[in-house]
Amino acid sequence: MGSGLLGALFIVVNIFSVNLIGVASTFMAVVIGQIIAGTIIDHFGLLVGLHIL
């Protein structure tokens, strides 16, 4: 249920942001946000995966 609400919120925010800043800027914001989130998750090891040397 939580992921469904987050998905719906993501779509609503994207609809409003496309109207405000345009398609390219919205797409860039999503991609940059995913890169930053992935970097933070990787840096702090939040998914606790196997460490391969």
Side-chain angles (χ1 to χ4, degrees):
M1 183 166 137
S3 61
L5 291 174
L6 283 176
L9 179 67
F10 178 76
I11 290 173
V12 169
V13 168
N14 276 328
I15 289 170
F16 286 117
S17 62
V18 164
N19 288 331
L20 290 174
I21 63 175
V23 175
S25 298
T26 301
F27 181 73
M28 282 182 12
V30 169
V31 170
I32 290 170
Q34 289 178 351
I35 290 171
I36 291 171
T39 302
I40 291 171
I41 289 170
D42 189 43
H43 177 74
F44 292 109
L46 298 178
L47 295 180
V48 191
L50 229 69
H51 185 75
I52 299 174
L53 296 176

